[in-house]
């Protein structure tokens, strides 16, 4: 591939990202302005001892007495300079909060992502190769049920079944209660992450499985597989040499494109399992009107999803010879 | 001297079950009466117009028909009826296919690997050597080894398809439309290759619509029309305006050639769904009598060849 074409492609996508970020910031800010939640009330809660004057002081301290456009500009110019502001509810710098939450979320999301990718891909291949068999039918029914299942509901069912009834997994949180941070073992963490990750992954299995199956069927009906048969290649050889090769790239691409659903799913799952990650922070920031934190999270999630899409596009350009040389 | 046929097809009939208008099922017969014999060291061309089901013949021999296809009749290899299991064992080993188009190549495999599949039992060096040899023979640059199918031109693709079969040690080669897209020089090269292969003892079944290419190299020519072989003739029978030919259709076909009168007859080949009850050519035949429309004529020996016509002499 010619170097400057790739450079141009990356530059174009970067510009697109910047404009998208600015637009997203404006939209989020407007939505927050229109929201009925008053940050001050949300902050002090139902405490009636706080007088109106004190409330005004808090509002002034936060700069809420200024005009919305002015506030947006103040926030925007400081973000550009690298200062993302201070979270109202955590009373710590936004970037620090996001960084900490993001780490635990990313572990959860990536576990789910890898699990669903591997499981979905192989189920899709099996189902597609054995098109029309009972296994194929079972896989399809399974996927259709999964696709129509809400994440939070599945999460609740899992907690009831595996944690409460069977006691295989802890009920919630990311670490055991009443244990000092330094004494938390890796096993504890794994135990806590498994059930939420499983919930999150099980739903994306359906997507990847159905798409892979579709593509496998297409390949199995292709003329080149017919020719492979005519050349005496066994079923195993056909799957290894032709099916997996032709199906992998679309499957991997799809898996990267699923970052947005992954993030969306994580918000629900973290809420159900009280898992202290970015998803839960998003809900908190929204409910308490914590504008700096919410804006920060929105930007980070955009970056996350955009990175996924960008990698998917790059994979095609890099790996597929038809895109590379054509 | 009569050679024992290595591949023999007797009265092959091939039909597809189809659903029309929802759940109504019908059988669509694509091949009605196909007979042919192929001996070692011989080139037999099956000539028929496009869409007459010629490729299906190749697929039937190799056992790669779609699941809704049904065949009747016999396919014999070395005197034994070929079961599906036997076909699966023989294909790629003793019977190979030269497919019709570049779509039969895996889009994500390089030319080198495409040819390499036929060379499974060879070492890496042998593979490399044979790859280079065959590319060189067809005047392809060695860089073509790294090409993917989408990068091949029509002629290059044709040569690669041929190369997949010519490097194998099979006894029977079925070539499905091996000539279109080739320039004159390559065409000559390919035909010469076929001739050499057959002279070395291989049996070649060439399925084509290109009667002139067939005439250049084939020992025998089977004329395929509306799902049946109407005549089996030697190449020489087509000489002098087709004087040696037997069937009225073949004669008409011969007259329609550019080198001859270049004169076409009325009408068109009937579709599989509208085949006449009697002789398949009866609706276009000038010799047609009432008897012809009543039942299909037998395939009978006439002057060293065969024809499916009661009037043929």
């Amino acid at each position: 591939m010619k170097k400057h074409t790739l450079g141009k492609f990356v530059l174009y996508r970067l510009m697109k990202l910047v404009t998208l970020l600015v637009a997203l910031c404006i939209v989020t800010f407007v939505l927050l302005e229109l929201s009925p939640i008053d940050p001050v009330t949300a902050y002090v809660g139902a405490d009636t001892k706080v007088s109106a004057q004190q409330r005004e002081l808090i509002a002034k301290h936060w700069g809420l007495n200024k005009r919305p456009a002015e506030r947006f500009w103040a926030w925007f110019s400081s973000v550009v300079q690298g200062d993302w502001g201070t979270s109202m509810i955590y009373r710590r710098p936004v970037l620090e909060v996001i960084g900490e939450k993001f780490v635990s979320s990313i572990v959860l999301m990536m576990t789910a992502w890898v699990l669903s990718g591997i499981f979905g891909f192989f189920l899709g291949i099996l189902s597609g190769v054995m098109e029309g068999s009972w296994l194929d039918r079972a896989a399809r029914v399974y996927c259709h049920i999964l696709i129509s299942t809400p994440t939070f509901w599945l999460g609740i069912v899992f907690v009831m079944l595996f944690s409460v009834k069977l006691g295989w997994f802890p009920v919630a949180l990311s670490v055991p209660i009443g244990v000092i941070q330094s004494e938390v073992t890796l096993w504890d963490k794994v135990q806590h992450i498994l059930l939420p990750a499983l919930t999150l992954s099980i739903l994306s299995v359906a997507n990847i499985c159905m798409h892979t199956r579709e593509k496998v069927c297409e390949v199995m009906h292709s003329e080149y597989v017919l020719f492979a048969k005519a050349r005496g290649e066994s079923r195993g050889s056909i799957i290894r040499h032709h099916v997996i090769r032709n199906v992998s790239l679309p499957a991997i691409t799809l898996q990267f494109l699923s970052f947005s659903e992954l993030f969306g799913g994580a918000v629900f799952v973290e809420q159900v399992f009280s898992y202290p990650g970015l998803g839960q922070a998003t809900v908190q920031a929204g409910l308490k009107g914590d504008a700096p934190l919410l804006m920060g999270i929105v930007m980070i999630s955009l970056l996350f999803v955009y990175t996924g899409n960008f990698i998917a596009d790059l994979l095609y350009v890099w790996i597929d010879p038809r895109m590379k040389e054509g | 001297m009569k050679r024992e046929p290595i591949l023999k097809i007797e009265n092959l009939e091939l039909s597809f079950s189809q659903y029309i208008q929802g759940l109504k099922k019908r059988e669509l017969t694509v091949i009605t009466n196909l007979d042919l014999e192929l001996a070692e060291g011989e080139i037999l061309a099956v000539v028929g117009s496009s869409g007459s089901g010629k490729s299906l013949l190749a697929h039937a021999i190799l056992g790669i028909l779609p699941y809704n296809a049904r065949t009747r009749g016999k396919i014999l290899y070395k005197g034994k009826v070929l079961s599906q299991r036997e076909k699966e064992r023989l294909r790629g080993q003793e019977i190979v296919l030269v497919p019709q188009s570049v779509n039969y190549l895996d889009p994500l495999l390089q030319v080198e690997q495409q040819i390499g599949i036929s060379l499974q039992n060879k070492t890496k060096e042998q593979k490399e050597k044979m790859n280079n040899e065959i590319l060189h023979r067809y005047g392809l640059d060695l860089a073509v080894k790294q090409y993917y199918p989408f990068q091949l031109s029509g002629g290059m693709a044709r040569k690669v398809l041929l190369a997949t079969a010519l490097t194998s040690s099979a006894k029977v080669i079925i070539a499905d439309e091996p000539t279109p897209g080739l320039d004159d020089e390559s065409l000559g090269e390919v035909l010469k290759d076929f001739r050499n292969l057959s002279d070395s003892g291989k049996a070649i079944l060439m399925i084509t619509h290109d009667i002139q290419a067939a005439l250049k190299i084939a020992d025998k020519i089977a004329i395929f029309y509306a799902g049946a072989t109407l005549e089996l003739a030697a190449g020489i029978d087509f000489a002098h305006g087709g004087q040696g030919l037997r069937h009225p259709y073949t004669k008409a076909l011969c007259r329609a050639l550019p080198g001859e009168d270049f004169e076409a007859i009325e009408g068109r080949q009937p579709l599989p769904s509208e085949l006449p009850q009697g002789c398949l050519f009866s609706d276009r035949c000038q010799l047609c009598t009432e008897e012809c429309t009543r039942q299909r004529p037998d395939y009978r020996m006439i002057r060293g060849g065969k024809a499916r016509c009661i009037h043929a002499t």
Side-chain angles (χ1 to χ4, degrees):
Chain A
M1 163 143 196
K2 290 161 218 107
K3 265 261 153 51
H4 69 271
T5 341
L6 185 65
K8 235 163 121 183
F9 174 71
V10 173
L11 195 74
Y12 171 71
R13 296 306 296 265
L14 274 178
M15 271 165 56
K16 217 170 153 186
L17 174 64
V18 171
T19 49
L20 195 60
L21 265 177
V22 173
L24 186 77
C25 288
I26 295 171
V27 170
T28 314
F29 188 81
V30 169
L31 283 176
L32 270 171
E33 279 305 306
L34 295 175
S35 137
I37 294 170
D38 173 33
V40 180
T41 314
Y43 179 66
V44 298
D47 199 343
T48 43
K49 282 188 206 137
V50 183
S51 69
Q53 271 166 332
Q54 280 170 311
R55 281 167 172 272
E56 244 167 70
L57 270 174
I58 296 173
K60 201 175 166 194
H61 176 68
W62 282 344
L64 291 174
N65 51 352
K66 291 192 195 130
R67 287 208 334 274
E70 235 175 294
R71 270 184 285 141
F72 181 75
W73 183 247
W75 173 84
F76 190 75
S77 46
S78 71
V79 163
V80 172
Q81 284 160 33
D83 176 13
W84 290 38
T86 310
S87 158
M88 295 170 179
I89 44 177
Y90 292 95
R91 271 177 268 175
R92 278 160 53 206
V94 165
L95 272 181
E96 199 183 300
V97 177
I98 292 179
E100 180 191 293
K101 303 279 172 190
F102 196 69
V103 171
S104 52
S105 270
I106 203 92
V107 176
L108 174 69
M109 287 195 276
M110 284 304 124
T111 314
W113 189 72
V114 171
L115 281 179
S116 72
I118 294 173
F119 185 57
F121 184 68
F122 281 105
L123 193 63
I125 297 243
L126 266 181
S127 169
V129 169
M130 300 163 86
E131 192 189 353
S133 67
W134 64 266
L135 188 131
D136 177 36
R137 271 173 228 199
R140 263 153 64 203
V141 169
Y142 168 74
C143 287
H144 283 135
I145 291 175
L146 283 185
I147 282 176
S148 37
T149 308
T151 320
F152 70 90
W153 180 82
L154 190 74
I156 293 170
V157 170
F158 273 15
V159 169
M160 280 162 58
L161 186 68
F162 294 113
S163 302
V164 178
K165 204 146 197 148
L166 297 169
W168 291 355
F169 297 101
V171 176
L173 303 176
S174 67
V175 285
I177 302 171
V179 177
I180 307 167
Q181 182 93 49
S182 56
E183 282 176 10
V184 175
T185 60
L186 185 68
W187 173 238
D188 284 332
K189 287 186 180 171
V190 170
Q191 255 192 326
H192 279 82
I193 208 170
L194 261 175
L195 201 57
L198 210 64
T199 312
L200 194 52
S201 68
I202 262 184
L203 292 168
S204 17
V205 161
N207 196 13
I208 185 91
C209 172
M210 290 307 273
H211 276 93
T212 306
R213 178 190 174 274
E214 209 52 42
K215 185 77 193 161
V216 170
C217 290
E218 190 191 310
V219 172
M220 288 305 281
H221 291 280
S222 73
E223 286 172 324
Y224 56 88
V225 163
L226 195 69
F227 182 45
K229 278 186 202 161
R231 296 174 92 174
E233 282 189 63
S234 65
R235 200 159 144 132
S237 163
I238 288 174
I239 294 171
R240 259 179 297 129
H241 288 136
H242 307 293
V243 175
I244 291 190
R245 189 184 284 265
N246 279 283
V247 168
S248 297
L249 192 58
I252 294 171
T253 310
L254 189 75
Q255 196 60 358
F256 276 104
L257 288 176
S258 71
F259 273 19
S260 59
E261 283 128 65
L262 194 65
F263 194 88
V267 173
F268 286 115
V269 168
E270 286 179 12
Q271 203 57 24
V272 171
F273 288 90
S274 307
Y275 190 91
L278 206 56
Q280 221 192 12
T282 315
V283 177
Q284 288 303 316
L287 290 177
K288 297 256 168 87
D290 187 344
L293 182 61
L294 194 64
M295 302 279 281
I297 291 175
V298 164
M299 284 202 291
I300 289 294
S301 58
L302 173 74
L303 272 175
F304 179 69
V305 173
Y306 198 86
T307 308
N309 291 3
F310 184 61
I311 292 174
D313 287 344
L314 265 188
L315 277 178
Y316 259 107
V317 181
W318 261 338
I319 297 178
D320 194 321
R322 284 165 292 193
M323 298 285 281
K324 200 157 68 181
E325 319 265 346
Chain B
M1 187 189 79
K2 172 91 180 133
R3 282 173 293 194
E4 194 50 39
I6 183 163
L7 186 73
K8 188 172 178 183
I9 296 176
E10 281 175 11
N11 223 348
L12 181 74
E13 186 185 313
L14 197 157
S15 57
F16 290 101
S17 53
Q18 275 188 331
Y19 285 100
I20 43 166
Q21 295 170 349
L23 292 173
K24 238 166 95 188
K25 211 171 170 181
R26 74 164 179 187
E27 289 276 310
L28 187 70
T29 308
V30 185
I31 296 180
T32 44
N33 289 110
L34 193 145
D35 293 82
L36 52 89
E37 283 181 14
L38 181 64
E40 285 178 340
E42 190 178 70
I43 301 179
L44 170 68
V46 175
V47 179
S49 53
S50 303
S52 57
K54 301 187 301 286
S55 295
L56 292 169
L57 163 65
H59 294 187
I61 297 170
L62 291 160
I64 50 172
L65 288 169
Y67 68 95
N68 61 337
R70 248 198 15 213
T71 55
R72 263 179 241 120
K74 276 189 226 163
I75 299 177
L76 299 115
Y77 180 74
K78 291 182 174 167
K80 277 198 300 197
V81 175
L82 273 185
S83 61
Q84 179 63 25
R85 219 195 152 106
E86 273 296 285
K87 286 176 188 170
E88 279 169 23
R89 194 178 65 80
L90 292 172
R91 63 192 185 197
Q93 302 297 317
E94 296 194 21
I95 307 177
V96 293
L97 173 72
V98 179
Q100 207 181 70
S101 79
V102 69
N103 292 345
Y104 285 81
L105 296 176
D106 187 326
L108 294 183
L109 284 182
Q110 292 170 320
V111 165
E112 192 174 22
Q113 297 161 296
Q114 310 268 10
I115 301 176
I117 297 176
S118 307
L119 307 170
Q120 266 161 356
N121 305 323
K122 304 277 193 306
T123 64
K124 219 176 156 192
E125 288 77 37
Q126 280 175 309
K127 273 190 189 180
E128 171 101 27
K129 199 170 149 248
M130 292 189 83
N131 254 317
N132 293 348
E133 244 175 54
I134 195 117
L135 291 179
H136 185 72
R137 183 137 55 112
Y138 286 136
L140 292 174
D141 199 84
L142 283 190
V144 173
K145 279 202 290 187
Q146 262 75 49
Y147 281 18
Y148 290 92
F150 77 95
Q151 292 168 298
L152 300 171
S153 71
M156 279 153 96
R158 185 70 54 204
K159 291 171 191 174
V160 171
L161 292 172
L162 280 165
T164 60
L166 302 192
T167 44
S168 76
S169 51
K171 296 200 171 70
V172 178
I173 297 174
I174 302 172
D176 191 2
E177 298 282 11
T179 54
L182 289 175
D183 56 82
D184 275 351
E185 196 189 333
S186 309
L187 179 68
E189 193 68 33
V190 165
L191 293 181
K192 209 173 82 200
D193 254 350
F194 277 138
R195 192 68 260 173
N196 288 342
L197 283 167
S198 81
D199 288 344
S200 71
K202 291 182 201 280
I204 296 172
L205 181 66
M206 183 169 147
I207 298 170
T208 183
H209 69 265
D210 185 351
I211 192 163
Q212 280 168 322
L215 281 174
K216 273 184 204 154
I217 55 160
D219 300 300
K220 283 193 249 160
I221 294 173
I223 303 294
F224 190 70
Y225 178 86
T229 40
L230 291 189
E231 173 161 358
L232 180 71
I236 190 84
D237 294 339
F238 282 82
H240 310 296
Q243 282 173 359
L245 294 172
R246 299 152 193 87
H247 198 283
Y249 172 66
T250 326
K251 287 182 185 163
L253 188 68
C254 188
R255 276 199 299 280
L257 290 177
E260 307 290 339
D261 298 344
F262 206 29
E263 197 177 274
I265 54 165
E266 292 279 303
R268 58 168 175 80
Q269 193 172 156
L271 293 174
S273 53
E274 51 185 36
L275 295 182
Q277 196 203 346
C279 170
L280 295 165
F281 188 57
S282 56
D283 55 340
R284 298 168 75 186
C285 187
Q286 290 178 338
L287 304 176
C288 179
T289 57
E290 209 216 317
E291 204 189 339
C292 296
T293 58
R294 229 176 293 138
Q295 63 169 24
R296 303 223 172 122
D298 289 331
Y299 208 30
R300 55 193 181 95
M301 289 288 291
I302 304 163
R303 291 185 281 113
K306 281 183 173 177
R308 220 182 279 279
C309 174
I310 52 170
H311 302 295
T313 48

